[in-house]
Amino acid sequence: MRKIWVFIFSIIVLQFHVAAQQQGCNLQIGGRVTDKEHEALLSYATVYILELQTGAVCDDNALFAIGELCAGNYTLLISHLGCATDTVNIQLEKSVFLEFELNHQDSVLEAIQVHVSMETYKGTLTTDYLEGKALEAIAGKSLGNALKDMNGLNTIQTGNSISKPVIHGLHSNRILIMNNGVRQEGQQWGNEHGPEIDPFIADNITVIKGAAGVKYGSDAMGGVILVNPAPLIDTGGTRGAVQIAGFSNTKGGAASAYIQSHYSPFVWRLQGTLKAEGTAQTPDYYLANTAYHEANGSAAVKYHKNDFETELYYSYFHNTIGIFSASHIGNLTDLENAFVSDTPYIAGNFTYDIGRPYQLINHHLVKSVSHYHNDKFGNIYLTAAWQNNIRKEYDTHVPLDDSIAALGLPSLYFEIGTITTELEWKHHKKIIFSGSVGLSGMNQQNITRYSTFIPNFKNYSGGIYALETYQLNDWSLEAGLRYDYKWTKAFFYDEGELQTPEHQYSALSWNIGSTYFDRNHTTFNINFSSAWRAPAMNELYSDGLHHGAAALEYGDPGLLQERSYQLITGFEYETPKTYIEIGAYNNYMQNFIYLQPVLPPALTIRGAFPVFEYQQTNANIFGIDATAHYHITEPFMVETKFSMLRARDLENDVWVVMMPADKLTGKVHYIFKSFGKIENLDAGVAVVHVFKQNRTYAEADYLPAPEVYTLTSLSIGSDIKCKHHSISWSLEAENLFNVAYRDYLNRFQIFCR
Amino acid sequence: MKKQTILFSALGLLSLQVFLFSSCKEEEIPEEPNEEELITTLILEFENTISGEVRTFEFRDTDGPGESEPVDFDTIRLDDNSSYHITVSILNESVSPTDDITVEVAEEGVDHQLFYVTSGGLNLFISYDDEDANGDPIGLHAMAATTDASTGTTTVTLKHQPDIKDGNILTGDTDVEVIFVTEVE
């Protein structure tokens, strides 16, 4: 156990802003205007932002909301019939809910800022998000790694370069990733297939923890990850930013930049990212062939005139991932050798070069979204998107035949093209209802070459939904219903005969929830929902050798659709000093699809291979996430987080394997006073304690779960304000004490011990 | 109001168009999957150095890993206190005509090595009888000697070690690994 693979060491993040007003332009100011003297709600009061010449009128409940605001200083003018207009200056850094108390007699205005974000206030599902400083701190990390500090989230990793987000124990085909509003479609079924998204495009990343199937469609059973770029706003002049991050372990770096400007009625933005990492290392040795290269770019242009706007967006993602040589196993003997070996039997040296085995991935996205606003009807959005994802996997095994080898063909080639369209109507508040109605369609085609593991296929699907919210004083009630239909056809050869089986699936998704939002710091939400998904192609038709995994996997064309029933509750309490959030969920999964080990192992010319079959059961996942912050003094804060989940296969009465272990995090940080140009100097220590996953069973896991481990990290950062730009920097040392550990959800854990 | 109606209709039509257009593509028929280089058959030919008697032992799985079980999986039966000359054949019988992979292994001898590992207690001793361009063994030809009657297993492993051939069974990729039940009688 001495020589265990570790992630070591510091990540240096440096960010440089060319212009001011860089931060997110998706902030909201919401609030309520009341009469201080009479404690009455002031309906139809107006709130106007002087700088932007825009505003809102309060509704019957004296509530208002103004969205799509950039961070910055604003002057709010608040007026009501019979009163003189008053002004309040606010510094907007995050979405806020403000209470304005208007004194009719002498028109003295007070603003009380309630530290509740609008996101929490809006929905009845539990959400979490990364934006601003928190987002800068994860610069250069992959999407999966960026999100794993969120409570209730984990990652499935294949080494340090491939990571997949896990929400409440569910991942891959059971969660959705919305890349700039478009559902990401690649080969997401594979554990070693990371999401093809550049986190640098994001201005905020929002995670919905729970079945959000009504709004986003089937497959959103575990949750939804929204990667949102900043909206294109035609204010603020030309601006841009450069971000640079460095990683000491891999001697790697990432750089990303964007520039945005407008030429009325057009607004445009160009963005690009480059990332390169060398061989990763443990305290004792290098992990052979773990270099990583990535290059991405995106361009967007928006036309805006009166009540109509239309936007065209293109993004390109490309990466080449070296797969740790020792993890790419040829047969079970290789695997057994890896178990007993203290160190990987393939020795590595430091290099930026990538050899076999490796993955090469290209992802293109073209998206067009049009928005029409009408005072009477509300807002209409029409989105059409085209995606093309090409994944090439190169085996260690070079063909014996020189003429075939010379072609340099991949061992595995997948090309999946997807077209999605969506029409959404967000209607204005009618009496006390607000909501949206939508239609969506998807068309998909997959081509596999050089392997028959997954067949070629075509998918068509369509959905229709309505989601309404009823607002009454401190309560909001939400209900939604959706119908989806999916048709799919596979193409493959069986003993030389072309087979073209077809499948059809259709089902309802629904949700009903409520949020109680009390001005006295308390929020409570409860949501009961049901979502479903059709079995994926690998679950239906996997046929044989799983590339690189030394396992035979067999699909079952008779699988039924999977359904989830989820109850989610959340409680939040916030005062200027204290913040407490507790969430609990229970997710009952009907026809839960999983890989069942089948005995005996199959005899092949390459030795014995374990055999797995896709089967269905009923499973239940229960979990709790809790967070607490406390300011001992104004600048000195302590924070603690805890998450646990239990996943049980109810029919076979065993634990569901590959579920995250319980985790406890503690954090202390101190924000220093500004001195000179240095602002927000923040230093912190974080300790993450991961418990042992005892809830496994031997037939399904190759090895017993790894032991408990505790990691300590240190971070420091600040802003340096100059006249026309600001520089923010941060330095983070991960795993400060070089603790050797293995993580249960890291597929490498069996090869690096 | 009229302007709005027109705009709404236009939006509706556009969305319908995009969906219909996208639905009208040609169906994609997969290529016949024949690119994969498969090893289906391992034949060990034992020629008695005194009597000249030839015995062949085979492992044959014509559809590759998975699907149906191997069609032939022989037990190696040898006489006690004898010596044999072993000749190995590696074939792909899933294609017609049969692809003789032995030729490729011999040509790329510097990148390949066969390993013979016998279980403890089995009185069978195998040594290399060939060389690659660097003077290292390949293992397509080998010598075998038996002593007293005994039973056990013989594991035949073909390793692909491009530019890394080092005589170590742990190095490189496993192309073949067959465990033959072996009887010396």
Side-chain angles (χ1 to χ4, degrees):
Chain A
M1 276 307 283
R2 198 178 59 84
K3 292 168 184 168
I4 298 177
W5 185 46
V6 292
F7 292 90
I8 30 173
F9 246 39
S10 29
I11 289 180
I12 304 157
V13 181
L14 180 72
Q15 187 176 9
F16 169 67
H17 300 263
V18 179
Q21 284 183 306
Q22 189 275 329
Q23 271 194 337
C25 293
N26 63 330
L27 304 180
Q28 299 183 62
I29 299 175
R32 186 181 331 231
V33 185
T34 51
D35 180 337
K36 193 176 187 180
E37 205 179 9
H38 304 101
E39 293 181 340
L41 299 174
L42 293 179
S43 306
Y44 310 110
T46 58
V47 180
Y48 187 77
I49 302 176
L50 193 65
E51 288 82 359
L52 303 179
Q53 304 195 343
T54 182
V57 180
C58 294
D59 63 13
D60 293 340
N61 296 308
L63 291 164
F64 71 92
I66 306 167
E68 299 201 335
L69 298 172
C70 303
N73 294 312
Y74 295 103
T75 311
L76 302 183
L77 307 179
I78 296 102
S79 56
H80 190 251
L81 272 173
C83 301
T85 301
D86 247 307
T87 58
V88 172
N89 291 308
I90 67 158
Q91 190 185 351
L92 191 66
E93 283 172 344
K94 62 173 188 170
S95 297
V96 289
F97 187 82
L98 302 167
E99 294 276 355
F100 294 109
E101 294 186 339
L102 209 55
N103 190 326
H104 261 148
Q105 277 183 327
D106 50 11
S107 294
V108 173
L109 198 69
E110 266 183 80
I112 303 156
Q113 185 164 325
V114 182
H115 295 256
V116 173
S117 92
M118 289 298 288
E119 278 85 352
T120 322
Y121 178 61
K122 276 193 318 193
T124 64
L125 277 165
T126 310
T127 57
D128 207 340
Y129 51 95
L130 274 179
E131 61 184 7
K133 281 244 168 286
L135 191 62
E136 283 170 22
I138 56 94
K141 292 189 182 178
S142 65
L143 187 65
N145 277 333
L147 298 175
K148 72 176 177 188
D149 289 338
M150 278 187 184
N151 223 3
L153 268 76
N154 294 86
T155 50
I156 285 193
Q157 283 189 277
T158 305
N160 59 337
S161 44
I162 305 175
S163 67
K164 303 196 72 171
V166 181
I167 305 174
H168 288 168
L170 302 178
H171 56 89
S172 301
N173 288 318
R174 294 191 180 99
I175 65 168
L176 275 186
I177 301 176
M178 303 295 287
N179 181 7
N180 191 9
V182 179
R183 65 182 272 165
Q184 180 78 8
E185 288 290 334
Q187 305 290 344
Q188 58 262 53
W189 52 269
N191 279 350
E192 68 283 23
H193 302 167
E196 305 85 352
I197 292 176
D198 175 11
F200 276 115
I201 68 158
D203 175 66
N204 76 75
I205 302 175
T206 303
V207 177
I208 301 171
K209 301 176 202 169
V214 173
K215 174 86 174 76
Y216 298 101
S218 66
D219 301 359
M221 306 177 87
V224 183
I225 296 166
L226 303 143
V227 181
N228 299 317
L232 290 163
I233 305 275
D234 47 2
T235 54
T238 301
R239 57 175 175 249
V242 177
Q243 268 184 289
I244 298 164
F247 319 100
S248 61
N249 182 288
T250 54
K251 300 184 180 70
S256 185
Y258 84 83
I259 183 158
Q260 176 176 336
S261 190
H262 62 97
Y263 181 79
S264 195
F266 294 98
V267 194
W268 58 267
R269 176 164 56 217
L270 288 172
Q271 179 267 345
T273 303
L274 286 172
K275 185 174 167 184
E277 290 186 73
T279 314
Q281 56 180 302
T282 76
D284 300 319
Y285 52 84
Y286 284 101
L287 297 165
N289 197 41
T290 48
Y292 178 87
H293 305 160
E294 182 182 315
N296 318 313
S298 69
V301 60
K302 187 169 97 171
Y303 169 86
H304 179 194
K305 192 124 197 199
N306 301 328
D307 288 336
F308 179 75
E309 60 182 41
T310 185
E311 184 187 322
L312 194 65
Y313 176 83
Y314 167 75
S315 72
Y316 171 68
F317 177 93
H318 169 86
N319 65 4
T320 312
I321 309 166
I323 306 295
F324 178 42
S325 308
S327 78
H328 203 87
I329 42 178
N331 69 2
L332 214 55
T333 312
D334 293 354
L335 189 69
E336 279 160 7
N337 289 337
F339 289 163
V340 296
S341 167
D342 247 8
T343 53
Y345 60 85
I346 298 172
N349 297 310
F350 184 81
T351 175
Y352 288 102
D353 296 335
I354 295 172
R356 283 168 174 263
Y358 67 95
Q359 300 180 357
L360 198 147
I361 295 136
N362 284 306
H363 192 97
H364 298 268
L365 167 66
V366 179
K367 174 194 144 180
S368 143
V369 57
S370 301
H371 170 200
Y372 175 70
H373 172 84
N374 180 288
D375 286 335
K376 208 169 170 183
F377 293 103
N379 295 292
I380 289 185
Y381 297 85
L382 176 70
T383 312
W386 170 87
Q387 293 174 74
N388 189 55
N389 182 297
I390 298 175
R391 160 176 290 276
K392 296 176 188 168
E393 297 190 7
Y394 292 82
D395 209 336
T396 35
H397 188 278
V398 183
L400 288 162
D401 187 326
D402 283 341
S403 61
I404 297 175
L407 298 175
L409 297 173
S411 319
L412 200 54
Y413 173 100
F414 295 118
E415 180 174 357
I416 187 161
T418 310
I419 292 171
T420 44
T421 49
E422 185 172 356
L423 184 65
E424 186 187 11
W425 172 39
K426 278 187 188 162
H427 65 79
H428 277 327
K429 203 161 191 175
K430 294 282 177 207
I431 316 166
I432 38 179
F433 284 102
S434 61
S436 58
V437 177
L439 265 174
S440 71
M442 185 169 97
N443 164 11
Q444 192 167 59
Q445 183 167 309
N446 180 69
I447 297 165
T448 305
R449 293 201 176 111
Y450 318 123
S451 159
T452 52
F453 186 62
I454 302 281
N456 288 11
F457 63 84
K458 286 165 80 81
N459 279 338
Y460 293 106
S461 61
I464 180 163
Y465 69 92
L467 192 61
E468 294 289 322
T469 307
Y470 169 88
Q471 185 86 42
L472 190 70
N473 299 324
D474 293 335
W475 287 90
S476 79
L477 281 171
E478 183 187 75
L481 187 67
R482 182 187 180 109
Y483 171 80
D484 281 291
Y485 170 81
K486 183 177 181 178
W487 176 91
T488 181
K489 186 173 182 178
F491 303 83
F492 58 90
Y493 287 95
D494 187 21
E495 290 171 4
E497 297 280 320
L498 182 66
Q499 307 291 318
T500 57
E502 291 176 22
H503 298 268
Q504 291 180 64
Y505 305 94
S506 63
L508 291 174
S509 307
W510 47 264
N511 105 67
I512 180 158
S514 179
T515 304
Y516 172 75
F517 177 74
D518 167 27
R519 271 179 283 167
N520 302 320
H521 331 295
T522 315
T523 311
F524 173 76
N525 66 289
I526 184 160
N527 188 292
F528 186 48
S529 61
S530 182
W532 71 285
R533 71 177 182 102
M537 269 299 154
N538 64 312
E539 293 161 341
L540 295 170
Y541 293 109
S542 280
D543 183 26
L545 200 57
H546 189 160
H547 186 69
L552 290 162
E553 291 176 12
Y554 294 98
D556 177 0
L559 291 177
L560 302 170
Q561 58 210 36
E562 198 177 72
R563 180 169 280 283
S564 145
Y565 297 94
Q566 262 179 71
L567 182 67
I568 297 172
T569 61
F571 169 80
E572 257 183 86
Y573 174 80
E574 179 156 14
T575 68
K577 277 191 114 170
T578 314
Y579 174 79
I580 296 169
E581 184 190 350
I582 299 168
Y585 55 91
N586 192 77
N587 184 1
Y588 175 74
M589 309 268 289
Q590 207 175 40
N591 299 325
F592 182 79
I593 300 170
Y594 71 106
L595 269 180
Q596 170 72 37
V598 179
L599 292 171
L603 192 61
T604 80
I605 201 155
R606 280 202 269 164
F609 284 9
V611 182
F612 295 91
E613 280 175 10
Y614 280 102
Q615 292 186 6
Q616 293 191 297
T617 185
N618 294 328
N620 193 71
I621 305 174
F622 161 78
I624 291 172
D625 300 326
T627 305
H629 303 184
Y630 182 70
H631 285 270
I632 295 169
T633 63
E634 175 62 28
F636 188 42
M637 192 180 91
V638 291
E639 183 187 322
T640 181
K641 285 186 208 171
F642 175 71
S643 73
M644 57 146 291
L645 75 81
R646 301 285 176 267
R648 195 80 184 156
D649 175 341
L650 301 175
E651 281 184 19
N652 302 308
D653 202 28
V654 290
W655 297 107
V656 178
V657 295
M658 281 302 275
M659 284 288 167
D662 299 348
K663 188 161 79 175
L664 181 66
T665 309
K667 208 171 180 178
V668 177
H669 65 116
Y670 193 89
I671 301 164
F672 294 86
K673 279 192 180 134
S674 301
F675 46 92
K677 287 176 175 174
I678 298 173
E679 294 180 1
N680 301 323
L681 180 62
D682 183 336
V685 182
V687 178
V688 180
H689 182 79
V690 178
F691 293 85
K692 183 176 176 173
Q693 180 55 285
N694 293 312
R695 291 158 292 277
T696 63
Y697 68 106
E699 297 82 20
D701 277 335
Y702 288 124
L703 272 189
E707 294 301 315
V708 53
Y709 65 86
T710 306
L711 303 179
T712 308
S713 65
L714 208 70
S715 64
I716 184 165
S718 88
D719 297 335
I720 302 164
K721 292 268 187 256
C722 301
K723 209 172 180 184
H724 297 293
H725 60 264
S726 75
I727 297 171
S728 66
W729 62 274
S730 67
L731 187 72
E732 188 180 344
E734 292 184 341
N735 193 3
L736 200 62
F737 303 116
N738 251 349
V739 173
Y741 72 97
R742 293 186 290 137
D743 190 83
Y744 178 60
L745 295 186
N746 194 327
R747 286 181 68 240
F748 274 23
Q749 56 131 327
I750 54 179
F751 307 107
C752 315
R753 299 199 294 145
Chain B
M1 187 63 208
K2 199 181 174 191
K3 197 178 142 200
Q4 287 153 12
T5 317
I6 293 166
L7 198 70
F8 271 72
S9 322
L11 285 173
L13 211 66
L14 184 63
S15 65
L16 196 70
Q17 257 181 358
V18 171
F19 195 58
L20 285 180
F21 163 74
S22 60
S23 313
C24 291
K25 275 192 191 163
E26 286 292 303
E27 296 202 345
E28 183 71 30
I29 307 296
E31 299 158 17
E32 213 38 273
N34 55 4
E35 303 283 347
E36 213 170 355
E37 197 175 52
L38 212 56
I39 296 174
T40 61
T41 311
L42 176 69
I43 302 171
L44 305 179
E45 193 183 280
F46 281 73
E47 185 187 353
N48 191 307
T49 51
I50 312 284
S51 68
E53 181 206 0
V54 174
R55 294 182 191 177
T56 56
F57 308 106
E58 301 178 345
F59 180 97
R60 178 174 282 115
D61 186 9
T62 42
D63 66 353
E67 298 292 335
S68 50
E69 289 287 295
V71 268
D72 293 312
F73 190 9
D74 296 336
T75 296
I76 299 177
R77 288 195 175 82
L78 301 172
D79 294 336
D80 57 358
N81 300 305
S82 304
S83 70
Y84 295 90
H85 181 234
I86 305 174
T87 306
V88 179
S89 296
I90 301 160
L91 308 174
N92 178 6
E93 295 182 310
S94 71
V95 291
S96 181
T98 295
D99 186 8
D100 189 356
I101 293 165
T102 326
V103 179
E104 282 149 14
V105 173
E107 277 173 6
E108 293 171 30
V110 290
D111 294 335
H112 289 95
Q113 187 166 352
L114 278 145
F115 294 88
Y116 300 89
V117 179
T118 51
S119 60
L122 177 67
N123 297 321
L124 171 64
F125 307 95
I126 299 172
S127 57
Y128 291 109
D129 193 28
D130 58 1
E131 283 183 353
D132 65 16
N134 299 330
D136 297 319
I138 305 172
L140 291 170
H141 296 277
M143 296 301 294
T146 59
T147 54
D148 296 340
S150 53
T151 57
T153 59
T154 307
T155 306
V156 182
T157 307
L158 172 62
K159 281 285 185 173
H160 190 203
Q161 304 176 333
D163 303 322
I164 49 170
K165 183 163 168 177
D166 61 355
N168 185 345
I169 194 170
L170 295 179
T171 306
D173 244 26
T174 308
D175 284 339
V176 171
E177 186 187 283
V178 180
I179 305 170
F180 288 97
V181 173
T182 309
E183 294 170 2
V184 177
E185 46 201 15

